[in-house]
Structures are given as C-alpha cells and as structure tokens.
C-alpha cells in the first residue's frame, strides 16, 4: 500500500548510528506501531525486542540474520522477517534504503 491512513505520527525522529539511520514512529488506532525510515550507505547491526518485518520501499540492502552465515539481498517490494530478541546485520551501498518496519 502506498500510504497509511488514520495514523498518529511521533514528530521527533529516531536517530541511530550517528544519523546513518533515521526513522519516525507511526501509531495506528488499533494500538499497533510501525516505523518508517531511511538507512544511508553503511553496514549496521540492529537488535530486536519484538518480532519485525522489514518492508523495502526503495533502494536495496543485503541482510544477514543472527545465526546465519550468508547474506541475502532485498529490493523494492520485498521484505524480511526478524525474530524477537534477535539481531540482524544490514548493508546498504549506493542509494539510501527506505523501509517500513512492522512490529509485532
């Protein structure tokens, strides 16, 4: 879906890794949350509390989930799942990577 309707947006940005990743939290009427963000070219490691689905909106990234040895590439229209209480490495090169993170 190209847009979210009937939401609340947290105005203050979430800034990680010295600005290499910036996102905003989106809250829905049913209490669910997502974040919408951009990762600049870099290689970063994220830790998760809740399970996440990372949806690629623009750009391309390579991802290695905790416990795996191989990197997998994701591009527009693709997503990857990250278990709760886990981590993933993400590599972005070239253009910035735009994403929606679905928590749950």
């Amino acid at each position: 879906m190209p847009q979210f309707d009937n939401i609340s947006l947290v105005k203050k940005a979430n800034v990680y890794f010295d600005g290499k990743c910036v996102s905003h939290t989106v809250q829905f009427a049913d209490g669910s949350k997502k974040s919408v963000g951009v990762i600049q070219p870099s290689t970063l490691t994220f830790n998760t509390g809740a399970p996440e689905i990372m949806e690629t909106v623009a750009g391309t990234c390579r991802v290695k989930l905790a416990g795996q040895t191989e990197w997998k590439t994701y591009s527009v229209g693709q997503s990857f799942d990250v278990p709760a209480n886990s981590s993933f490495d993400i590599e972005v090169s070239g253009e910035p990577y735009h994403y929606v993170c679905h928590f749950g």
Side-chain angles (χ1 to χ4, degrees):
M1 99 176 89
Q3 69 181 37
F4 295 124
D5 295 321
N6 303 314
I7 57 112
S8 295
L9 175 70
V10 177
K11 292 193 289 186
K12 185 174 181 189
N14 307 302
V15 180
Y16 304 101
F17 303 104
D18 296 322
K20 292 181 178 111
C21 177
V22 178
S23 68
H24 285 273
T25 301
V26 179
Q27 299 174 328
F28 293 80
D30 66 2
S32 64
K33 292 182 183 180
K34 301 183 188 308
S35 65
V36 177
V38 174
I39 299 175
Q40 298 296 328
S42 55
T43 301
L44 308 172
T45 300
F46 287 90
N47 296 305
T48 63
E52 298 180 3
I53 299 171
M54 292 287 289
E55 174 189 353
T56 305
V57 177
T60 301
C61 69
R62 290 185 347 127
V63 173
K64 184 174 65 164
L65 298 174
Q68 295 185 353
T69 57
E70 294 191 27
W71 291 82
K72 187 168 180 186
T73 300
Y74 296 91
S75 57
V76 176
Q78 296 180 309
S79 61
F80 59 93
D81 295 349
V82 185
N85 303 311
S86 186
S87 66
F88 65 97
D89 297 324
I90 186 166
E91 179 185 75
V92 175
S93 57
E95 64 184 88
Y97 173 73
H98 298 244
Y99 67 89
V100 175
C101 179
H102 305 264
F103 298 103

